[in-house]
Amino acid sequence: MQNSKVVIVGTGFVGMSYAYALVNQGTVEKLVLIDIDKEKAIGEAMDLNHGLAFAPRKMNIKAGSYSDCKDAGLVVITAGVNQKDGETRTHLLSRNAGIVKSIVKDIMNSGFNGILLVASNPVDVLAYVAWKESGLDKSRVIGSGTILDTARLRYEISNIVKIDTRNVHAYILGEHGDSEFVCWSSANIGAKSINDVLNDMDEISFNDLDKIYVKVRDAAYEIIKRKKATYWGVGMSLVRITKAIFNNENSIMPVSVLNTGEYNCEKDVYIGLPAVINRKGVHHIVKLPLNADETNKLKNSATILRNNLDSIKY
Ligand code: NAD
C-alpha cells in the first residue's frame, strides 16, 4: 500500500497489539504513535523499529504528536482509562467521552482529513462522540463495533462444525457489550445455511449454539479475569479494518456505524451493523432480513446505547 499512514492514539495493550500486527503483516508504510505518556510512545516506537529487520516490508515508525495526523489516511483511537474505585458507569462514560472529545479536537486541529477508527470502550458510545466532535461525515468515523465479537463467534462455530473459521459467515450485531446478539438467521457455513448444516449433524443442536453465544458474549470477562485485559484479538480486528480501508476492498464487516434507517431501531446511535468498508470509509450499511427476535434484540441494544448517550448529554 502506497501512501498509507496510520496514527495510533493510545499506546497501551490494545494500541500496541494493533501496531505489532500492522508491522508483522506489513499493512502500512508509515506508523505514528501518540500517547499522553510521551516516553511510553517513544519506547514503543524504538522497540517496534528494532523488529523491522524481520518485517515483511520497509516501514517508517515513530513516536509523534497530533500534527502528524494532518496527512494520515487513518487515525485509530485506542486510548482508555479504567473505572476508578467507587465510580459509576455513567461517570466512567462521561470521563471517557471527555477524553475522546479532547483527542478528536487535537486530531482535527491538525487539518486531518482521513478516516477515524475508534476502539476505546464503550466503543459504540465513543464512536458517536468522535463523530459528533469531529464534524466528519458519518462515513469517515467508524467504531470497531462487534468485529471482535464476530471473530470470536466464528472461531467457536468453526470448532463445533469443524470447518475453517474463514468459511464461517455469521455476525454478532448490536452493542459491543452485554446486549449484543447473534444474527443466526443469516448464518452460513460456506454457502450452506447453519440450519441445514446442523440438520445434517446428529451430534449437535441449536442448544449448543446458544451456549456459544453466551461464551462469546462473556469472552472479555473470562479473559480479563485471567490476564486483566484483552488485546491480541482486537489488535488483529483493527488490522483487518485497516486493510479494507487502504486496499479499497469493499469488504463487509460488522462495525459500529450510524444507523441511517436501514434497520428498524433507534437511528441516532452508533451500533454494530454489517457495513461495506473501502478507501472512503463506510460505503453503505448492508441490510439483513432480521427475524422478529433479532429485530427486538437490535432495538433493545439501540435503546441502551441511546440511553447511555442521553446520560452524557449527547
Ligand atoms: P491501557 O491502559 O493498556 O492503554 C491505554 C493507553 O491510553 C495508555 O497508554 C494511556 O497512557 C493512554 N491514554 C490515556 N489517556 C490518553 C489521552 N488523553 N491521550 C492519549 N493517550 C491516552 O488500555 P488497553 O488495554 O490498551 O485498552 C484501551 C481501550 O481499548 C479501553 O477502553 C478498552 O476497554 C478498549 N478495548 C476495546 C476493545 C474492542 O473490541 N473495541 C477490546 C479490548 C479493549
Side-chain angles (χ1 to χ4, degrees):
M1 280 179 249
Q2 297 297 309
N3 301 321
S4 46
K5 178 175 177 184
V6 167
V7 176
I8 301 176
V9 183
T11 59
F13 285 114
V14 172
M16 290 319 296
S17 302
Y18 170 51
Y20 187 60
L22 281 179
V23 173
N24 274 296
Q25 296 186 37
T27 315
V28 290
E29 269 191 317
K30 293 181 188 162
L31 177 61
V32 180
L33 307 178
I34 298 177
D35 199 286
I36 198 163
D37 179 349
K38 289 193 174 125
E39 289 301 317
K40 169 128 171 60
I42 292 170
E44 293 291 3
M46 287 167 73
D47 205 359
L48 277 185
N49 271 320
H50 298 161
L52 280 181
F54 316 110
R57 72 176 290 167
K58 190 172 167 286
M59 271 181 82
N60 185 315
I61 305 169
K62 64 165 195 170
S65 62
Y66 284 101
S67 60
D68 288 292
C69 297
K70 184 178 168 59
D71 61 345
L74 178 66
V75 173
V76 185
I77 301 178
T78 54
V81 285
N82 292 324
Q83 207 150 345
K84 284 184 183 160
D85 243 5
E87 193 177 47
T88 65
R89 239 182 125 243
T90 308
H91 272 124
L92 180 70
L93 249 181
S94 74
R95 204 147 57 88
N96 277 333
I99 288 171
V100 165
K101 188 174 168 178
S102 90
I103 289 173
V104 167
K105 188 167 167 246
D106 288 337
I107 293 169
M108 298 314 294
N109 281 343
S110 73
F112 173 68
N113 197 24
I115 295 170
L116 258 184
L117 174 58
V118 180
S120 308
N121 274 325
V123 69
D124 303 289
V125 173
L126 296 185
Y128 183 94
V129 170
W131 169 59
K132 279 281 176 191
E133 296 298 332
S134 68
L136 290 168
D137 186 81
K138 62 184 184 305
S139 61
R140 292 209 271 140
V141 181
I142 308 171
S144 60
T146 47
I147 190 168
L148 170 62
D149 320 69
T150 294
R152 288 170 174 155
L153 174 74
R154 290 168 64 192
Y155 166 76
E156 295 295 344
I157 294 176
S158 161
N159 275 346
I160 282 207
V161 298
K162 305 208 169 21
I163 295 289
D164 192 301
T165 318
R166 288 163 296 186
N167 292 130
V168 176
H169 307 291
Y171 298 122
I172 297 257
L173 300 180
E175 176 199 14
H176 170 62
D178 293 345
S179 72
E180 66 188 27
F181 64 96
V182 186
C183 185
W184 288 119
S185 65
S186 297
N188 288 289
I189 311 297
K192 193 166 168 173
S193 83
I194 198 149
N195 255 330
D196 290 345
V197 173
L198 293 188
N199 283 339
D200 291 349
M201 296 178 79
D202 295 333
E203 63 278 24
I204 52 173
S205 68
F206 255 103
N207 283 343
D208 297 308
L209 294 187
D210 208 44
K211 282 185 206 142
I212 288 184
Y213 161 67
V214 174
K215 213 169 166 183
V216 169
R217 187 197 59 199
D218 297 345
Y221 298 118
E222 289 296 324
I223 298 171
I224 288 167
K225 194 166 79 188
R226 290 170 172 85
K227 54 172 274 195
K228 298 195 170 57
T230 82
Y231 37 90
W232 302 122
V234 66
M236 291 180 77
S237 306
L238 295 172
V239 171
R240 183 67 197 91
I241 300 170
T242 305
K243 285 182 173 173
I245 292 170
F246 284 109
N247 285 331
N248 200 22
E249 285 181 14
N250 281 328
S251 279
I252 302 175
M253 40 193 72
V255 287
S256 193
V257 290
L258 188 77
N259 172 30
T260 41
E262 285 78 0
Y263 287 87
N264 178 18
C265 65
E266 165 67 52
K267 279 192 200 158
D268 196 26
V269 287
Y270 262 65
I271 187 164
L273 294 172
V276 175
I277 305 295
N278 66 20
R279 190 66 188 82
K280 291 187 172 158
V282 179
H283 185 266
H284 66 273
I285 293 172
V286 176
K287 191 169 179 191
L288 295 176
L290 302 188
N291 64 29
D293 179 48
E294 291 160 355
T295 303
N296 283 337
K297 286 175 173 158
L298 187 69
K299 278 185 180 166
N300 178 42
S301 254
T303 305
I304 289 171
L305 290 170
R306 179 50 21 228
N307 288 342
N308 285 341
L309 285 163
D310 285 345
S311 76
I312 54 167
K313 305 201 168 25
Y314 267 92

